[in-house]
Amino acid sequence: MCGIRPELTIDRRNLAHLFAAGAGLTLLPIRVRAADVAALALTCIDYRLVDDTVRFFESVHLTNEYDQVALAGASLAAVSPKFPSSNAAFWDHVDIAKQLHHVKKVVFVDHRDCGAYKVAFGKEFAVAHDPETAQHKSVMQQAKTILAQKHPDLGCEVYLMALDGTAERIA
Ligand SMILES: [Zn+2]
């Protein structure tokens, strides 16, 4: 028994890679970020769409340019009386994102087959494609209206994401 676990040994080649990686890091230009970002995003918490949501924000040219709040139901969390603590958390974070990063707009990203919508609407939850779109549109319009009242200086974009990660702009 030599006492050294094989997975902890570093051979010369691995060591060279480590040094190369270290040298590369020091040569990378350091991006000095301004304190401002473009947007605050409100998304659902749903695990199925976490990676798609990151890709979505890349597609709208907001990579690393948004603060993010994730609350079950997304726009529903902002307005539904069924989720009062989520309502408060979201609107608090609009204030925080404005103060910290001077966001210029809020981007709401709802998604289809949302568990929070099922909870909030119960038997009224719309399963079929078009009624489901209409249900989200109605909630998102409420969120947009309240946002305009509370923060008339902020823009607003509203998207509905399908489970394959494609998103359509609703308003
Ligand atoms: Zn959801």
Side-chain angles (χ1 to χ4, degrees):
M1 292 280 283
C2 72
I4 298 173
R5 302 215 313 261
E7 65 270 27
L8 292 180
T9 61
I10 297 173
D11 67 25
R12 207 174 287 163
R13 198 175 57 163
N14 287 340
L15 209 56
H17 280 150
L18 282 174
F19 279 120
L25 276 179
T26 60
L27 293 175
L28 284 173
I30 295 168
R31 187 176 174 207
V32 180
R33 291 190 56 88
D36 294 6
V37 293
L40 171 66
L42 176 60
T43 68
C44 188
I45 61 169
D46 197 303
Y47 71 96
R48 295 171 293 179
L49 294 168
V50 171
D51 52 350
D52 295 296
T53 302
V54 171
R55 281 193 286 274
F56 163 74
F57 282 107
E58 282 174 7
S59 77
V60 293
H61 310 291
L62 284 173
T63 303
N64 293 341
E65 288 294 336
Y66 61 97
D67 291 331
Q68 183 170 6
V69 178
L71 292 165
S75 66
L76 191 64
V79 299
S80 172
K82 298 240 180 192
F83 306 118
S85 56
S86 293
N87 300 168
F90 171 67
W91 295 108
D92 282 353
H93 279 78
V94 176
D95 291 332
I96 292 167
K98 280 178 79 173
Q99 285 166 25
L100 287 181
H101 302 137
H102 311 109
V103 296
K104 301 291 187 288
K105 63 182 174 184
V106 174
V107 181
F108 293 95
V109 184
D110 277 19
H111 70 91
R112 295 188 182 279
D113 193 43
C114 182
Y117 268 75
K118 290 176 187 172
V119 168
F121 285 94
K123 287 179 183 166
E124 306 296 313
F125 174 74
V127 178
H129 185 278
D130 289 350
E132 187 182 32
T133 304
Q135 199 159 59
H136 282 271
K137 199 169 185 175
S138 166
V139 171
M140 294 172 116
Q141 193 58 53
Q142 289 175 48
K144 193 173 180 175
T145 300
I146 296 172
L147 181 71
Q149 288 163 356
K150 287 178 180 280
H151 299 280
D153 54 322
L154 291 181
C156 183
E157 293 174 20
V158 167
Y159 297 87
L160 179 57
M161 185 176 280
L163 292 183
D164 65 0
T166 56
E168 57 183 307
R169 187 162 178 180
I170 298 292

